[in-house]
Protein backbone atom coordinates (compact mmCIF):
# COMPACT_ATOMS: atom_id res chain seq x y z
CA UNK A 1 0.00 0.00 0.00
CA UNK A 2 3.04 2.32 0.05
CA UNK A 3 2.39 5.05 -2.49
CA UNK A 4 5.55 6.07 -4.38
CA UNK A 5 6.29 9.58 -5.54
CA UNK A 6 4.61 10.49 -8.82
CA UNK A 7 1.29 8.63 -8.54
CA UNK A 8 -0.48 11.73 -7.25
CA UNK A 9 -0.02 15.31 -8.43
CA UNK A 10 1.52 18.08 -6.33
CA UNK A 11 -1.71 19.75 -5.10
CA UNK A 12 -3.08 16.42 -3.89
CA UNK A 13 0.20 15.53 -2.23
CA UNK A 14 0.34 18.91 -0.49
CA UNK A 15 -3.24 18.52 0.72
CA UNK A 16 -2.62 15.01 2.04
CA UNK A 17 0.57 16.21 3.74
CA UNK A 18 -1.37 18.99 5.47
CA UNK A 19 -3.96 16.47 6.72
CA UNK A 20 -1.13 14.21 7.90
CA UNK A 21 0.54 17.01 9.85
CA UNK A 22 -2.78 17.90 11.50
CA UNK A 23 -3.54 14.28 12.32
CA UNK A 24 -0.13 13.63 13.81
CA UNK A 25 -0.36 16.83 15.87
CA UNK A 26 -3.68 15.64 17.31
CA UNK A 27 -2.18 12.22 17.96
CA UNK A 28 0.76 13.76 19.83
CA UNK A 29 -1.75 15.37 22.20
CA UNK A 30 -4.01 12.33 22.50
CA UNK A 31 -1.17 9.86 23.05
CA UNK A 32 -0.19 11.62 26.28
CA UNK A 33 -3.37 10.25 27.84
CA UNK A 34 -2.60 6.71 26.70
CA UNK A 35 1.06 6.51 27.65
CA UNK A 36 2.48 6.00 31.10
CA UNK A 37 5.49 4.25 32.58
CA UNK A 38 3.88 0.88 32.00
CA UNK A 39 2.48 1.31 28.49
CA UNK A 40 5.23 3.42 26.86
CA UNK A 41 7.76 0.57 26.44
CA UNK A 42 5.00 -1.66 25.04
CA UNK A 43 4.01 1.05 22.56
CA UNK A 44 7.59 1.35 21.29
CA UNK A 45 7.65 -2.39 20.71
CA UNK A 46 4.30 -2.27 18.92
CA UNK A 47 5.84 0.14 16.40
CA UNK A 48 8.82 -2.21 16.02
CA UNK A 49 6.51 -5.15 15.45
CA UNK A 50 4.53 -3.25 12.81
CA UNK A 51 7.79 -2.47 10.98
CA UNK A 52 8.72 -6.15 11.04
CA UNK A 53 5.22 -7.28 10.12
CA UNK A 54 5.14 -4.99 7.10
CA UNK A 55 8.19 -6.82 5.72
CA UNK A 56 6.37 -10.15 5.67
CA UNK A 57 4.58 -10.04 2.35
CA UNK A 58 2.22 -12.97 2.07
CA UNK A 59 1.22 -14.32 -1.34
CA UNK A 60 -2.34 -13.56 -2.33
CA UNK A 61 -3.08 -14.83 -5.83
CA UNK A 62 -2.08 -14.38 -9.43
CA UNK A 63 1.34 -12.99 -8.59
CA UNK A 64 0.19 -10.49 -5.99
CA UNK A 65 1.17 -10.19 -2.37
CA UNK A 66 -0.10 -8.31 0.62
CA UNK A 67 1.41 -7.32 3.89
CA UNK A 68 0.24 -6.20 7.29
CA UNK A 69 -0.64 -2.51 7.51
CA UNK A 70 -0.91 -2.82 11.27
CA UNK A 71 -3.21 0.11 12.00
CA UNK A 72 -5.90 -1.88 13.79
CA UNK A 73 -3.30 -4.09 15.46
CA UNK A 74 -1.41 -1.10 16.87
CA UNK A 75 -4.63 0.64 17.93
CA UNK A 76 -5.92 -2.34 19.88
CA UNK A 77 -2.56 -3.00 21.53
CA UNK A 78 -1.39 0.55 22.25
CA UNK A 79 -4.44 2.80 21.94
CA UNK A 80 -5.55 4.72 18.85
CA UNK A 81 -3.60 7.97 19.28
CA UNK A 82 -0.40 6.12 20.10
CA UNK A 83 -1.04 3.83 17.14
CA UNK A 84 -1.13 6.78 14.73
CA UNK A 85 2.35 7.68 15.99
CA UNK A 86 3.52 4.04 15.78
CA UNK A 87 2.52 3.64 12.14
CA UNK A 88 3.75 7.13 11.23
CA UNK A 89 7.16 6.31 12.69
CA UNK A 90 7.28 3.11 10.65
CA UNK A 91 6.36 5.00 7.47
CA UNK A 92 9.03 7.65 8.08
CA UNK A 93 11.74 5.03 8.64
CA UNK A 94 10.61 3.17 5.51
CA UNK A 95 10.49 6.29 3.33
CA UNK A 96 13.82 7.74 4.48
CA UNK A 97 15.95 4.60 4.81
CA UNK A 98 14.30 1.86 2.75
CA UNK A 99 12.97 4.00 -0.12
CA UNK A 100 9.66 2.21 0.52
CA UNK A 101 6.97 4.78 -0.18
CA UNK A 102 7.83 8.16 -1.64
CA UNK A 103 9.01 11.28 0.14
CA UNK A 104 6.46 13.68 -1.37
CA UNK A 105 3.97 10.82 -0.91
CA UNK A 106 4.77 10.47 2.80
CA UNK A 107 1.75 12.55 3.77
CA UNK A 108 -0.47 10.39 1.57
CA UNK A 109 0.90 7.24 3.15
CA UNK A 110 0.40 8.63 6.66
CA UNK A 111 -3.20 9.47 5.76
CA UNK A 112 -3.85 6.03 4.29
CA UNK A 113 -2.15 3.76 6.78
CA UNK A 114 -1.64 5.77 9.97
CA UNK A 115 -4.75 7.95 10.11
CA UNK A 116 -7.41 6.03 8.16
CA UNK A 117 -5.93 2.59 8.87
CA UNK A 118 -5.78 3.24 12.61
CA UNK A 119 -8.94 5.36 12.76
CA UNK A 120 -11.22 2.94 10.94
CA UNK A 121 -9.57 -0.06 12.58
CA UNK A 122 -10.12 1.37 16.06
CA UNK A 123 -13.67 2.65 15.51
CA UNK A 124 -14.83 -0.64 14.01
CA UNK A 125 -13.06 -2.52 16.80
CA UNK A 126 -14.88 -0.46 19.43
CA UNK A 127 -18.23 -0.92 17.69
CA UNK A 128 -17.81 -4.70 17.43
CA UNK A 129 -16.50 -4.92 20.99
CA UNK A 130 -19.68 -3.20 22.16
CA UNK A 131 -21.82 -5.82 20.45
CA UNK A 132 -19.87 -8.82 21.70
CA UNK A 133 -19.92 -9.97 25.32
CA UNK A 134 -17.55 -7.96 27.51
CA UNK A 135 -14.83 -10.51 28.01
CA UNK A 136 -11.25 -11.06 26.97
CA UNK A 137 -12.23 -13.60 24.33
CA UNK A 138 -14.05 -10.88 22.38
CA UNK A 139 -10.98 -8.68 21.90
CA UNK A 140 -9.23 -10.62 19.13
CA UNK A 141 -12.34 -11.19 16.95
CA UNK A 142 -13.30 -7.52 17.26
CA UNK A 143 -9.74 -6.56 16.29
CA UNK A 144 -9.94 -8.84 13.26
CA UNK A 145 -13.08 -7.12 11.95
CA UNK A 146 -11.46 -3.74 12.52
CA UNK A 147 -8.34 -4.89 10.68
CA UNK A 148 -10.30 -6.16 7.68
CA UNK A 149 -12.28 -2.97 7.24
CA UNK A 150 -9.24 -0.76 7.85
CA UNK A 151 -7.57 -2.23 4.78
CA UNK A 152 -10.67 -1.68 2.65
CA UNK A 153 -10.95 1.89 3.92
CA UNK A 154 -7.33 2.64 3.04
CA UNK A 155 -7.78 1.09 -0.42
CA UNK A 156 -10.92 3.19 -0.96
CA UNK A 157 -9.18 6.38 0.12
CA UNK A 158 -6.28 5.73 -2.23
CA UNK A 159 -8.74 5.25 -5.09
CA UNK A 160 -10.48 8.51 -4.19
CA UNK A 161 -7.16 10.37 -4.08
CA UNK A 162 -6.24 8.85 -7.42
CA UNK A 163 -9.54 10.06 -8.87
CA UNK A 164 -8.77 13.56 -7.58
CA UNK A 165 -5.10 13.82 -8.37
CA UNK A 166 -3.81 10.77 -10.20
CA UNK A 167 -1.19 11.71 -12.77
CA UNK A 168 -1.89 8.85 -15.20
CA UNK A 169 -4.92 8.84 -17.51
CA UNK A 170 -6.51 5.75 -16.02
CA UNK A 171 -10.20 5.40 -15.24
CA UNK A 172 -10.70 5.95 -11.50
CA UNK A 173 -13.53 3.42 -11.52
CA UNK A 174 -11.21 0.68 -12.74
CA UNK A 175 -8.71 1.61 -10.05
CA UNK A 176 -11.38 1.52 -7.35
CA UNK A 177 -12.75 -1.86 -8.41
CA UNK A 178 -9.28 -3.40 -8.69
CA UNK A 179 -8.11 -1.92 -5.38
CA UNK A 180 -11.18 -3.14 -3.52
CA UNK A 181 -11.18 -6.62 -4.98
CA UNK A 182 -7.51 -7.30 -4.28
CA UNK A 183 -7.58 -5.64 -0.89
CA UNK A 184 -10.55 -7.72 0.17
CA UNK A 185 -8.22 -10.71 0.06
CA UNK A 186 -5.33 -8.80 1.61
CA UNK A 187 -7.72 -7.60 4.33
CA UNK A 188 -8.45 -11.21 5.25
CA UNK A 189 -4.72 -11.71 5.78
CA UNK A 190 -4.60 -8.54 7.85
CA UNK A 191 -7.52 -9.81 9.93
CA UNK A 192 -5.89 -13.21 10.50
CA UNK A 193 -2.53 -11.75 11.56
CA UNK A 194 -4.18 -9.15 13.78
CA UNK A 195 -6.37 -11.75 15.50
CA UNK A 196 -3.39 -14.06 16.03
CA UNK A 197 -1.15 -11.37 17.52
CA UNK A 198 -3.84 -9.66 19.62
CA UNK A 199 -5.12 -13.04 20.82
CA UNK A 200 -1.63 -14.12 21.85
CA UNK A 201 -0.93 -10.95 23.81
CA UNK A 202 -4.37 -11.05 25.45
CA UNK A 203 -3.68 -14.63 26.51
CA UNK A 204 -0.37 -13.76 28.14
CA UNK A 205 -0.56 -10.15 29.31
CA UNK A 206 -4.07 -8.72 28.84
CA UNK A 207 -3.09 -5.74 31.00
CA UNK A 208 -0.78 -4.56 28.19
CA UNK A 209 -3.62 -4.55 25.62
CA UNK A 210 -5.32 -1.15 25.47
CA UNK A 211 -8.43 -2.57 23.84
CA UNK A 212 -8.84 -5.22 26.55
CA UNK A 213 -9.35 -2.72 29.37
CA UNK A 214 -13.16 -2.86 29.55
CA UNK A 215 -13.05 -6.66 29.58
CA UNK A 216 -10.39 -6.67 32.30
CA UNK A 217 -12.39 -4.18 34.31
CA UNK A 218 -15.54 -6.27 34.03
CA UNK A 219 -13.63 -9.36 35.09
CA UNK A 220 -12.16 -7.55 38.07
CA UNK A 221 -15.53 -6.20 39.21
CA UNK A 222 -17.04 -9.62 38.90
CA UNK A 223 -14.37 -11.12 41.12
CA UNK A 224 -14.77 -8.33 43.64
CA UNK A 225 -18.53 -8.25 43.84
CA UNK A 226 -18.81 -10.26 47.07
CA UNK A 227 -16.27 -7.97 48.70
CA UNK A 228 -17.59 -4.65 47.44
CA UNK A 229 -21.20 -5.45 48.21
CA UNK A 230 -20.72 -3.95 51.65
CA UNK A 231 -23.76 -2.04 52.95
CA UNK A 232 -21.89 1.27 52.87
CA UNK A 233 -21.23 1.54 49.15
CA UNK A 234 -22.96 0.37 45.98
CA UNK A 235 -20.83 -1.85 43.80
CA UNK A 236 -20.56 0.70 41.04
CA UNK A 237 -18.78 3.30 43.17
CA UNK A 238 -16.70 0.86 45.15
CA UNK A 239 -12.96 1.35 44.88
CA UNK A 240 -11.53 -0.94 42.28
CA UNK A 241 -7.82 -0.30 42.05
CA UNK A 242 -7.29 -2.50 39.05
CA UNK A 243 -10.09 -0.97 37.04
CA UNK A 244 -8.98 1.32 34.24
CA UNK A 245 -10.73 4.64 34.72
CA UNK A 246 -10.22 6.42 31.47
CA UNK A 247 -10.85 4.42 28.37
CA UNK A 248 -12.31 7.22 26.37
CA UNK A 249 -13.97 5.15 23.71
CA UNK B 1 5.01 -14.21 32.33
CA UNK B 2 6.65 -11.14 33.84
CA UNK B 3 6.20 -7.85 32.06
CA UNK B 4 9.90 -7.57 31.34
CA UNK B 5 9.96 -11.11 30.03
CA UNK B 6 7.00 -10.45 27.80
CA UNK B 7 8.50 -7.25 26.37
CA UNK B 8 11.79 -9.01 25.66
CA UNK B 9 9.97 -11.86 23.91
CA UNK B 10 7.93 -9.37 21.86
CA UNK B 11 11.14 -7.60 20.81
CA UNK B 12 12.80 -10.87 19.94
CA UNK B 13 9.84 -11.98 17.79
CA UNK B 14 9.93 -8.65 15.92
CA UNK B 15 13.68 -8.87 15.29
CA UNK B 16 13.43 -12.47 14.11
CA UNK B 17 10.63 -11.57 11.69
CA UNK B 18 12.54 -8.55 10.35
CA UNK B 19 15.93 -10.26 10.31
CA UNK B 20 15.14 -13.84 9.32
CA UNK B 21 11.49 -14.27 8.39
CA UNK B 22 11.49 -11.45 5.86
CA UNK B 23 13.77 -13.49 3.59
CA UNK B 24 10.91 -15.90 3.09
CA UNK B 25 8.35 -13.18 2.39
CA UNK B 26 6.63 -13.14 -0.98
CA UNK B 27 8.48 -11.01 -3.51
CA UNK B 28 5.40 -10.48 -5.66
CA UNK B 29 4.25 -6.87 -6.04
CA UNK B 30 1.87 -5.79 -3.26
CA UNK B 31 -1.78 -4.98 -3.86
CA UNK B 32 -1.29 -1.35 -4.84
CA UNK B 33 1.70 -2.03 -7.09
CA UNK B 34 -0.16 -4.87 -8.76
CA UNK B 35 -3.26 -2.76 -9.37
CA UNK B 36 -1.05 0.05 -10.71
CA UNK B 37 0.56 -2.38 -13.13
CA UNK B 38 -2.72 -3.96 -14.22
CA UNK B 39 -4.63 -0.73 -14.73
CA UNK B 40 -1.61 0.99 -16.25
CA UNK B 41 -0.40 3.73 -13.92
CA UNK B 42 2.68 2.02 -12.49
CA UNK B 43 4.90 3.99 -14.89
CA UNK B 44 3.82 7.24 -13.28
CA UNK B 45 5.91 6.32 -10.22
CA UNK B 46 9.12 8.27 -9.72
CA UNK B 47 12.22 6.95 -8.02
CA UNK B 48 12.35 7.96 -4.38
CA UNK B 49 15.01 10.55 -3.49
CA UNK B 50 16.00 7.96 -0.88
CA UNK B 51 16.73 5.36 -3.58
CA UNK B 52 20.46 5.82 -2.99
CA UNK B 53 20.10 5.03 0.73
CA UNK B 54 22.42 2.24 1.90
CA UNK B 55 19.29 0.33 2.98
CA UNK B 56 17.15 1.03 -0.08
CA UNK B 57 14.69 -1.73 -0.96
CA UNK B 58 15.51 -3.55 2.28
CA UNK B 59 18.97 -4.54 1.08
CA UNK B 60 22.16 -3.47 2.81
CA UNK B 61 24.56 -1.89 0.34
CA UNK B 62 27.90 -3.67 0.16
CA UNK B 63 26.65 -6.96 1.62
CA UNK B 64 26.79 -9.64 -1.05
CA UNK B 65 24.81 -12.44 0.55
CA UNK B 66 21.16 -11.67 -0.12
CA UNK B 67 19.95 -13.31 3.05
CA UNK B 68 22.38 -11.37 5.26
CA UNK B 69 21.85 -8.16 3.30
CA UNK B 70 18.08 -8.27 3.70
CA UNK B 71 18.18 -9.49 7.28
CA UNK B 72 20.59 -6.75 8.31
CA UNK B 73 18.42 -4.09 6.66
CA UNK B 74 15.38 -5.46 8.48
CA UNK B 75 17.07 -5.48 11.86
CA UNK B 76 18.50 -1.98 11.37
CA UNK B 77 15.09 -0.69 10.30
CA UNK B 78 13.37 -2.34 13.26
CA UNK B 79 15.98 -0.92 15.62
CA UNK B 80 15.58 2.56 14.12
CA UNK B 81 11.81 2.30 14.57
CA UNK B 82 12.22 1.20 18.19
CA UNK B 83 14.64 4.05 18.86
CA UNK B 84 12.42 6.75 17.34
CA UNK B 85 9.06 5.47 18.62
CA UNK B 86 10.41 4.36 21.98
CA UNK B 87 12.13 7.71 22.51
CA UNK B 88 9.01 9.64 21.49
CA UNK B 89 6.74 7.64 23.79
CA UNK B 90 9.18 8.01 26.66
CA UNK B 91 8.98 11.77 26.29
CA UNK B 92 5.17 11.79 25.92
CA UNK B 93 4.33 9.44 28.78
CA UNK B 94 2.87 10.46 32.12
CA UNK B 95 5.39 10.07 34.86
CA UNK B 96 4.72 7.73 37.73
CA UNK B 97 1.97 5.17 37.92
CA UNK B 98 -1.18 6.15 36.11
CA UNK B 99 -4.34 6.66 38.09
CA UNK B 100 -5.78 3.54 36.55
CA UNK B 101 -2.58 1.64 37.01
CA UNK B 102 -1.60 -1.30 39.07
CA UNK B 103 1.55 -3.28 38.61
CA UNK B 104 -0.13 -6.59 37.97
CA UNK B 105 -3.76 -6.00 37.06
CA UNK B 106 -3.86 -9.32 35.28
CA UNK B 107 -3.98 -11.07 38.59
CA UNK B 108 -7.26 -10.55 40.39
CA UNK B 109 -5.66 -10.79 43.79
CA UNK B 110 -8.20 -9.83 46.40
CA UNK B 111 -5.51 -8.65 48.78
CA UNK B 112 -4.44 -5.81 46.53
CA UNK B 113 -5.61 -2.48 47.91
CA UNK B 114 -5.09 1.06 46.64
CA UNK B 115 -2.78 2.22 49.41
CA UNK B 116 -0.38 -0.59 48.52
CA UNK B 117 0.85 1.58 45.68
CA UNK B 118 4.22 3.16 46.16
Amino acid sequence: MHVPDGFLDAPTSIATAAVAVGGVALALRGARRELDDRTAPMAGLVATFVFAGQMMNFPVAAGTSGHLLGGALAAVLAGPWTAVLCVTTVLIVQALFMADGGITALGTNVDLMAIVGVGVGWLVFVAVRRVLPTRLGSVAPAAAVGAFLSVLAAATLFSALFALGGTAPVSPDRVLVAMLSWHTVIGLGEAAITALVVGSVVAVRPDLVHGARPALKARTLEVRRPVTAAPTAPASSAPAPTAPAGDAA
Amino acid sequence: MSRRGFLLAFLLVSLVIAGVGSYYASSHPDGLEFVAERTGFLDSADDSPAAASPLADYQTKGVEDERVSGGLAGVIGAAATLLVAGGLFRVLRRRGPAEDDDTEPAEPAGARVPQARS
Side-chain angles (χ1 to χ4, degrees), chain A residues 1-7 28 31-33 35-38 40-49 51-52 55-59 62-65 67 82 85-86 89-90 93-100 103 158 162 167-168 170 174-175 178-179 182-183 186 201 204-205 207-208 213 219 223-224 241-245, chain B residues 1-3 6-7 10-11 13-14 17-18 21-22 25-26 28-32 34-36 38-42 44-51 53 55-58 70 73-74 77-78 80-82 84-86 88-90 92-106 108-110 112-114 117:
Chain A
M1 181 79 68
H2 293 67
V3 179
D5 289 334
F7 274 8
L28 283 167
R32 288 175 186 275
R33 292 194 300 271
L35 294 164
D36 56 45
D37 283 337
R38 193 170 51 90
M42 174 65 178
L45 289 172
V46 168
T48 311
F49 183 85
F51 178 89
M55 288 184 74
M56 284 306 292
N57 282 60
F58 50 85
T64 321
S65 71
H67 65 71
T82 305
L85 302 178
C86 286
T89 304
V90 169
V93 168
Q94 288 168 333
L96 293 184
F97 299 119
M98 313 294 174
D100 188 12
I103 301 287
F158 173 79
F162 186 83
T167 52
V170 172
R174 278 185 63 210
V175 173
M179 282 297 281
W182 287 107
H183 284 89
I186 294 171
V201 182
V204 187
R205 292 293 305 209
D207 59 310
L208 292 177
R213 288 183 182 181
R219 192 173 77 169
V223 169
R224 282 167 188 279
T242 63
Chain B
M1 193 180 228
S2 75
R3 193 169 66 99
F6 171 81
L7 294 177
F10 197 30
L11 174 63
V13 167
S14 303
I17 292 173
S22 57
S26 167
H28 289 309
D30 76 0
L32 173 63
F34 186 80
V35 168
R38 275 285 177 91
T39 56
F41 66 92
L42 186 59
S44 65
D46 297 329
D47 261 352
S48 166
S53 152
L55 298 175
D57 294 324
Y58 301 90
T81 305
L82 179 61
V84 175
L88 175 67
F89 297 149
R90 212 180 140 74
L92 289 178
R93 82 195 196 281
R94 280 189 307 249
R95 302 305 168 91
E99 65 268 21
D100 62 11
D101 195 13
D102 200 346
T103 18
E104 297 283 4
R112 213 177 287 280
V113 284
R117 265 186 251 176

Side-chain angles (χ1 to χ4, degrees), chain B residues 44-85:
Chain B
S44 65
D46 297 329
D47 261 352
S48 166
S53 152
L55 298 175
D57 294 324
Y58 301 90
Q59 294 294 319
T60 313
K61 199 167 271 178
V63 180
E64 290 292 313
D65 186 287
E66 201 181 321
R67 187 188 291 257
V68 178
S69 181
L72 200 57
V75 169
I76 294 171
T81 305
L82 179 61
L83 216 66
V84 175

Side-chain angles (χ1 to χ4, degrees), chain A residues 7 12-13 34 37 41 45 52 61 85 97 118 121 125 138 143 151 159 165 168 180 186 195 211-212 225 245 248-249:
Chain A
F7 274 8
T12 310
S13 298
E34 295 168 351
D37 283 337
L45 289 172
L85 302 178
F97 299 119
V118 168
F125 165 76
S138 302
V151 173
S159 309
L180 282 182
I186 294 171
R225 196 169 291 135

